[in-house]
Amino acid sequence: MAGNQASAGHLLRLIRSGEATTRGELQQATGLSRSTVGHRLDQLFGAGWLRGAAGASTGGRPSARLEFDPTHAVVLVADLETRHGRAAVLDLAGTILAERTGDLVIADGPDVVLDRLARWFGPLLDEAGVGPDRVCGVGLSVPGPVDWESAQIVQPPIMPGWDRFPVRERLRDAFAEHVGPPSTAGPLPVFVDNDANLMALAEQRENHPDCGAFLLVKASTGIGAGVVVGGEVYRGIDGGAGDIGHIRLHDRPDALCMCGSYGCLAAVASGRSIAEQLTAAGVPTTSGSDVRDHLAAGQPDAVRLAREAGQRIGEVLVTVVTLLNPGVLMLGGDLAGTPFLTGVRELLYQRALPRTTAHLSVTISSLGDRAALVGAAAMVIDHLYAPDKADARLAALARSDDVG
């Protein structure tokens, strides 16, 4: 790393990754002088972002080993489903400090849902024992395509009223109203992404960090996929990557999808589709979460339909896996379980070339309902503590200190 690139933010990246955790190692990695390294570390210690690994200091100087302090701030995150939501407070190591699940009907629209969500945040912070001044950012997981830069949801089939709604701005206003003004220098950072993306990010980081190509398929009310390549979410050019629920099946031109088209995979093999089929068979079912309850109870029709849904999704995944060549294919969402997994494996191993599946692990989500929450926190932390962003935040903190 060239010395002129080794800002305080770059030093922080080296420390967080474990590449360099002492002053000497930082000098060696960056080519900076001892005094310059010391000055930049002073910035990081002054912001409260670093601590000595032993948790102590000697003679006013930090301990020899350095580490990122995950307790200096918290992240607020939320995961929206079609009929309920989850929210949590996490520290910067991804540890959940407080969590809440409740009814949140996404069809009620963004104003209602985001306001109700913000009302959860204050009590959650109280439960976690931290004040609003410790919140460094907010992350939101949603079941629809997201333009990541603008934090806007784009033409979501199962989120009426959310298309291009200013989610970031509305959530900031709701936070200020129900929690208080942010302590951050500048507007409260708010990030939004698709739920499958965030689930994939969390599962890859937590359980498969050495997997360079990771694929997660979420099958709930809708169907979507998240792809992590080289440790980073692959979103495509405008957030549309992974929207496999709207790949057309040639033999189901009669199946009307929520998007308005016919023959989509989601219209045939999603939790919504299974719920409709179960209801028609005399088993009242309103949503993907109801299907999950039936599966947990071993309801025979639900078990059969989940396996058949796995087979239909497996048909599509033959192409997806052949294209991406992932090391792990993980199944998550309401349908994820043995019948669904069995159906996916049957079609995948039957139709894909042996070369494609020789080193492929097909498994079920281990983080379960918390995956999107953990992924949303990782999204916020990755962005806020990336070198360039970290430097900008340090500069803003320094200006606010000067004004103070």
Side-chain angles (χ1 to χ4, degrees), residues 4-332:
N4 61 0
Q5 291 181 314
S7 63
H10 285 91
L11 265 60
L12 180 66
R13 183 187 64 78
L14 291 170
I15 294 166
R16 290 187 65 209
S17 68
E19 294 176 59
T21 59
T22 67
R23 292 170 184 259
E25 289 172 354
L26 289 168
Q27 287 177 247
Q28 186 175 7
T30 63
L32 297 175
S33 69
R34 179 180 177 83
S35 61
T36 302
V37 167
H39 172 70
R40 293 180 182 172
L41 289 177
D42 286 344
Q43 291 178 271
L44 296 170
F45 275 104
W49 295 0
L50 292 185
R51 65 185 180 189
S57 58
T58 304
R61 297 188 63 81
S63 304
R65 277 195 62 233
L66 307 167
E67 66 181 18
F68 183 64
D69 183 356
T71 67
H72 77 263
V74 297
V75 178
L76 279 167
V77 296
D79 174 27
L80 300 182
E81 298 280 359
T82 52
R83 300 176 64 85
H84 65 276
R86 296 181 188 86
V89 182
L90 292 88
D91 68 16
L92 302 185
T95 302
I96 293 178
L97 306 178
E99 185 178 4
R100 171 175 176 171
T101 301
D103 293 335
L104 274 180
V105 180
I106 210 160
D108 287 345
D111 273 314
V112 171
V113 171
L114 296 176
D115 184 79
R116 191 171 300 155
L117 188 61
R119 292 175 185 271
W120 291 3
F121 286 160
L124 277 170
L125 290 170
D126 291 341
E127 183 182 340
V130 297
D133 59 316
R134 295 267 300 281
V135 177
C136 66
V138 177
L140 183 63
S141 165
V142 298
V146 176
D147 181 331
W148 197 82
E149 292 293 336
S150 68
Q152 292 183 350
I153 301 158
V154 183
Q155 298 177 4
I158 60 175
M159 300 178 68
W162 290 77
D163 184 32
R164 291 294 180 184
F165 185 86
V167 173
R168 174 178 287 151
E169 294 76 10
R170 180 67 182 90
L171 199 48
R172 281 174 178 162
D173 291 344
F175 182 94
E177 179 181 355
H178 299 301
V179 183
S183 64
T184 55
L188 178 69
V190 175
F191 304 91
V192 184
D193 203 356
N194 171 262
D195 50 7
N197 286 346
L198 296 178
M199 291 169 68
L201 179 63
E203 295 281 4
Q204 190 272 337
R205 294 274 179 91
E206 292 275 323
N207 299 303
H208 301 276
D210 297 327
C211 181
F214 180 93
L215 171 65
L216 180 140
V217 174
K218 181 187 179 186
S220 290
T221 299
I223 300 171
V227 180
V228 178
V229 178
E232 303 292 333
V233 173
Y234 177 74
R235 298 184 175 91
I237 59 170
D238 61 5
D243 202 6
I244 64 170
H246 300 286
I247 292 175
R248 307 287 178 84
L249 301 177
H250 67 88
D251 60 343
R252 288 301 307 273
D254 59 312
L256 176 62
C257 183
M258 289 287 291
C259 73
S261 298
Y262 286 87
C264 292
L265 179 64
V268 175
S270 66
R272 181 188 294 273
S273 172
I274 292 177
E276 292 172 351
Q277 293 175 71
L278 285 172
T279 299
V283 183
T285 311
T286 60
S287 67
S289 59
D290 287 346
V291 174
R292 177 165 64 174
D293 293 340
H294 289 316
L295 289 170
Q299 206 284 333
D301 290 324
V303 170
R304 173 180 57 82
L305 290 169
R307 181 169 177 168
E308 291 175 2
Q311 292 171 337
R312 297 313 306 255
I313 292 174
E315 292 178 40
V316 169
L317 289 178
V318 171
T319 302
V320 175
V321 166
T322 301
L323 176 66
L324 295 178
N325 189 211
V328 175
L329 164 59
M330 182 171 283
L331 307 176

Side-chain angles (χ1 to χ4, degrees), residues 344-366:
V344 169
R345 281 177 167 165
E346 283 175 349
L347 264 290
L348 192 58
Y349 289 113
Q350 174 187 331
R351 298 193 181 181
L353 290 173
R355 169 69 183 83
T356 303
T357 57
H359 301 100
L360 175 67
S361 172
V362 184
T363 186
I364 292 175
S365 166
S366 61

